[in-house]
Amino acid sequence: MTSPKVTSSSATCAELPQLPRKQTQHHTNDLISPLTSSIAELPSSVQIIDRQTGHPRNGILGPYYPGQNIMLTCISLNGSPLPNITWWKDNRVISNVWEVTGPAKVQSDLTIDNVTRDWHNQTLTCSATNTHLAVPVSVTVLIQMYLLPLSVVISTPGAAREGQQTRLTCTVHGSRPPPIITWTLRGITKRAELKEKNHGLVSVSELLVNVTRADDNTRVKCTAENPAVPGAVLSNFTTLTVHYPPSVTASLGRSLRPDLLKEGDDVYFTCSVAANPPASTITWYHEGTVQVQNVSQGVIVSGESLVLQKVRRDKAGKYKCGASNALATVTSAPVHLKIRCECSEPLMYGFEYPIEESVCNLYLTESILELATACYISLSGPLLSVYYIILN
């Protein structure tokens, strides 16, 4: 708390000897001092005013903004002899400087520089006393302030499962008046309703979210703003954790040209998996049969990859991969592997154009392998050549 700054004039102040205080009730304001045999007249009124805003309302001054200077004046009217004026806070004197500002009028100014939130709900008392034989005439005011949020805390129940609802709680401490709370999720900001309002300067807001896997690792922001101090905001963030079963896709290697694969080529597959928790196992299948590592046969299984070295025609067919996590086991859609094989002695029927020797180096797809004869169409410049070929 900043020490109050007290201003005073150079007027001479007459004080009575400091005697023990004694509370005595009288029917009049006139008291006879046994030391002086004179009559003491108590002040008729004491009041505190704010030199900027005026009189307190229902005994309350403010609310004030943090950092504001509070300038107060205590005025005592009448009283004989003129009273001393003293400011009190927390049962201790914080100023006892005063001046005479008019007939039967005594005044004391008190300035509180750069007021902090510690002054909220504090009381100030101004006392006027001109005798120790009576209780001082005094007035007390309550200081109230606008308070900025001190903290914003977001709590979550932990990981949520895809398709379920999760509840986020934002707790704001220290704001007066209660803050405006907003949530920001997926780039959208929404003003929230408060569950509790100013219960011990604590405000709570809840947000219900139907989560999808796209929300995993998404940041959620809660912002608190004191409506009396626009622009003074306090925010905090949390990250959503969403659990979901594997999403699995099998594919041929990107560098491969599926229509040109032939016997003796090296072929590899990739299994792309999105899962949370991460997939614990990945399994490869060929026509429903689990593929296991067999280097001598040219089968290499390494994590998300399957490699077939010097592939043979019997490796053609459907390939799938499966992935498992704590939620489920999921198998991908099939990838069709076609292997061309070399044929010989092509036969030509009824064509007037000669067959080039290169035609003998034809490679057949899996579907052609299932037939005794097949038709192969070749474009060579403007000529269309159709060849019927048989397999050895």
Side-chain angles (χ1 to χ4, degrees), residues 102-251:
K105 181 180 179 181
V106 179
Q107 174 178 320
S108 176
D109 293 337
L110 178 72
T111 299
I112 305 170
D113 294 319
N114 195 27
V115 65
T116 65
R117 66 183 300 124
D118 296 334
W119 277 88
H120 180 62
N121 279 344
Q122 295 292 314
T123 57
L124 280 176
T125 298
C126 177
S127 296
T129 180
N130 57 3
T131 176
H132 294 287
L133 301 179
V135 175
V137 179
S138 62
V139 61
T140 298
V141 293
L142 181 69
I143 302 294
Q144 290 193 340
M145 296 189 61
Y146 294 124
L147 303 178
L148 301 181
L150 290 175
S151 66
V152 175
V153 179
I154 303 177
S155 56
T156 70
R161 185 163 180 173
E162 179 183 31
Q164 296 182 347
Q165 191 175 74
T166 189
R167 185 187 304 269
L168 307 179
T169 302
C170 181
T171 304
V172 181
H173 294 266
S175 180
R176 182 183 183 276
I180 297 172
I181 297 180
T182 56
W183 291 92
T184 302
L185 172 64
R186 304 170 188 148
I188 300 174
T189 298
K190 176 184 178 182
R191 181 166 175 171
E193 295 183 359
L194 299 185
K195 183 179 179 182
E196 298 180 9
K197 291 188 177 181
N198 218 36
H199 177 67
L201 297 180
V202 177
S203 301
V204 179
S205 172
E206 291 186 345
L207 179 67
L208 297 178
V209 183
N210 295 316
V211 296
T212 67
R213 65 181 58 200
D215 293 320
D216 189 38
N217 286 326
T218 296
R219 287 215 314 175
V220 182
K221 180 172 72 171
C222 178
T223 300
E225 180 180 14
N226 188 315
V229 191
V233 299
L234 188 64
S235 300
N236 203 352
F237 300 84
T238 191
T239 301
L240 293 178
T241 300
V242 181
H243 285 173
Y244 50 91
S247 174
V248 187
T249 303
S251 60

Side-chain angles (χ1 to χ4, degrees), residues 249-258 261-262 264-272 284 298-311 315 319-321 335-339:
T249 303
S251 60
L252 275 169
R254 291 184 178 181
S255 62
L256 301 178
R257 299 180 64 180
L261 294 176
K262 62 183 184 298
D265 288 345
D266 290 339
V267 177
Y268 68 96
F269 297 86
T270 299
C271 187
S272 300
W284 284 97
V299 179
I300 301 174
V301 180
S302 177
E304 298 180 351
S305 298
L306 171 66
V307 179
L308 305 177
Q309 295 178 324
K310 300 185 184 307
V311 67
K315 291 299 182 180
Y319 285 81
K320 299 179 182 179
C321 67
V335 176
H336 294 268
L337 176 63
K338 298 178 181 181
I339 302 297

